[in-house]
Amino acid sequence: MPEKVRTYLDWNATAPLSAAARQAVLAALALDGNPSSVHGEGRAARALIDGARRDVAALAGAEAAHVTFTSGATEAANMVLTPDFRMGRTPLSIGRLYVSAIEHPAVREGGRFGKDKVTEIPVTPVGVVDLAALEHLLATHDASAGLPMVAIMLANNETGIVQPVREAAAIVRRHGGLLVVDAVQGAGRLPLSIADLDADFLILSSHKLGGPKGAGALVARGEVLMPKPLIHGGGQEKGHRSGTENVSAIAGFAAAARAAIEGMDGRNIGIAGLRDRMEAGMAEIAADVVIHGRLPGRDVSRLCNTTFFSLPGLKSETGQIAFDLEGIALSAGSACSSGKVGASHVLTAMGFDAGLGALRVSLGATTSEADVERFLAAFGRIAGRRRHGVAAA
């Protein structure tokens, strides 16, 4: 029998490695020098990293000197989420971390803050950070313990819902706090500028953009305010992150960052059209489908590529396996728990029943109309079996 055609619709988990990033990785692997060495081979590796730093900075609307390369977004989050900062040579204490209830686990875990020093910011029923609650939390913050730090993502990785970061930044500034923005899902899909967002730090990831896994960055607003290093050693990355840089992964990250900037508007319009066609088809097939972030009277701004949906009676585990058997790769939300599928903390925070199953479809630059049609055909079969109790709980 011919092998079933596979359709990849899980770009929010990881984007397929782009041709440009692959080429950049292979070229960098040919460089023999350590970027910390002063000989010609070392200088060649250093020049590649310096160029990559400029490219990643351009993606974030930042200065190259303010980019610190890490092994990924999780490391960047653990690096910046700490009570220990320095303002130049002066220690600066952060008294409490405030994280939105819908953050990615890499941020929601609180980094180097003790659990008793982390406070959750609720979200509204439409999945947007509750700004009134944030205002109240910061107004009652104990300033004697140190400054407040607030962590809010640019766009949610499960629902795709865009968060009011600029409005949150205004509240944070009024109360003298620091703002950390997880921009992992928004980069390349939304205009991105650390200054326009009025954030102190941005978190980025290579493999969400079509770059290789194993590279990320912490982008700072300036050079004076920086967290205490997470990894100590030889003092690479200006002493902010020790360890020999992953030259090939960083090169691929830079190539993906360049591609993400080029033609972003046109590319995203095309992806949004495919998503809208898919969602319309889903509603025609199953009138009871729930598309989170697209409910009557509760529509909110979403990423152009993301659909997070529920079919009453269909569990996340059952649905994910059923689509996989149909040749469709999608997910039940965050791809960070070693394949575990459980209740979505995002939907729970939005007030949905913890037992509600949900699946995420996320599109990308190479998604085609044929991919959407294959998904809809599989969706129809699975929805039909659900009605007959075959693919239900």
Side-chain angles (χ1 to χ4, degrees):
M1 292 181 62
E3 191 171 321
K4 188 184 292 289
V5 174
R6 296 289 302 177
T7 300
Y8 188 78
L9 300 176
D10 201 15
W11 288 67
N12 284 11
T14 194
L17 186 67
S18 71
R22 185 185 301 275
Q23 183 177 1
V25 169
L26 292 175
L29 287 171
L31 296 178
D32 294 326
N34 185 313
S36 295
S37 298
V38 297
H39 47 58
E41 290 81 356
R43 293 197 302 274
R46 173 54 53 193
L48 188 151
I49 290 176
D50 289 343
R53 205 181 306 279
R54 290 191 292 271
D55 291 330
V56 172
L59 176 66
E63 297 293 328
H66 303 162
V67 174
T68 300
F69 286 118
T70 66
S71 64
T74 296
E75 184 193 324
N78 279 269
M79 176 181 173
V80 72
L81 300 180
T82 175
D84 298 316
F85 269 74
R86 298 192 75 84
M87 180 74 76
R89 295 184 179 181
T90 304
L92 184 68
S93 179
I94 309 299
R96 180 165 290 274
L97 172 65
Y98 299 87
V99 299
S100 85
I102 58 170
E103 292 302 303
H104 187 282
V107 171
R108 194 163 173 250
E109 285 295 309
R112 290 182 274 176
F113 283 89
K115 296 295 183 184
D116 62 330
K117 298 296 184 182
V118 179
T119 297
E120 192 170 85
I121 310 163
V123 299
T124 68
V126 297
V128 173
V129 171
D130 188 330
L131 295 177
L134 174 62
E135 179 79 59
H136 174 73
L137 286 170
L138 294 188
T140 56
H141 171 78
D142 180 8
S144 67
L147 299 178
M149 173 183 283
V150 176
I152 296 176
M153 60 196 347
L154 182 56
N156 185 258
N157 53 297
E158 293 189 11
T159 63
I161 293 173
V162 179
Q163 300 301 310
V165 173
R166 291 183 183 86
E167 293 85 346
I171 296 171
V172 173
R173 295 296 167 230
R174 275 200 300 275
H175 296 282
L178 304 182
L179 179 63
V180 176
V181 176
D182 172 2
V184 166
Q185 294 295 345
R189 296 173 184 145
L190 296 170
L192 185 59
S193 164
I194 191 168
D196 288 348
L197 291 174
D198 199 14
D200 293 291
F201 297 93
L202 297 182
I203 296 169
L204 299 174
S205 174
S206 165
H207 74 101
K208 307 294 187 178
L209 299 166
K213 304 170 188 68
L218 178 66
V219 182
R221 184 76 173 269
E223 292 187 84
V224 177
L225 177 67
M226 287 298 291
K228 179 181 179 180
L230 175 66
I231 299 177
H232 301 268
Q236 291 87 349
E237 295 297 292
K238 295 185 177 179
H240 301 310
R241 198 277 188 184
S242 292
T244 300
E245 295 92 340
N246 187 343
V247 178
S248 58
I250 289 171
F253 186 7
R258 291 193 298 272
I261 297 171
E262 295 167 2
M264 180 175 70
D265 291 343
R267 180 175 64 249
N268 289 343
I269 289 171
I271 292 172
L274 290 174
R275 183 202 63 183
D276 292 346
R277 160 72 188 105
M278 181 181 70
E279 291 183 352
M282 293 167 68
E284 290 173 6
I285 293 166
D288 59 346
V289 66
V290 177
I291 297 175
H292 301 289
R294 187 179 178 180
L295 295 170
R298 300 170 68 179
D299 279 10
V300 290
S301 177
R302 292 182 294 152
L303 293 177
C304 63
N305 77 317
T306 304
T307 296
F308 196 45
F309 72 92
S310 296
L311 273 172
L314 183 65
K315 285 186 174 181
S316 301
E317 303 95 320
T318 306
Q320 193 169 4
I321 293 169
F323 276 103
D324 191 45
L325 292 173
E326 290 276 358
I328 308 292
L330 46 70
S331 71
S334 175
C336 60
S337 303
S338 302
K340 298 175 184 175
V341 179
S344 166
H345 74 278
V346 175
L347 291 184
T348 300
M350 292 167 64
F352 289 93
D353 188 283
L356 180 67
L359 296 169
R360 181 186 67 191
V361 181
S362 47
L363 317 181
T366 61
T367 303
S368 66
E369 291 184 9
D371 292 330
V372 169
E373 293 306 318
R374 280 193 290 271
F375 166 79
L376 289 174
F379 179 84
R381 288 188 289 271
I382 292 168
R385 293 199 297 270
R386 171 192 60 124
R387 285 192 290 270
H388 293 92
V390 177

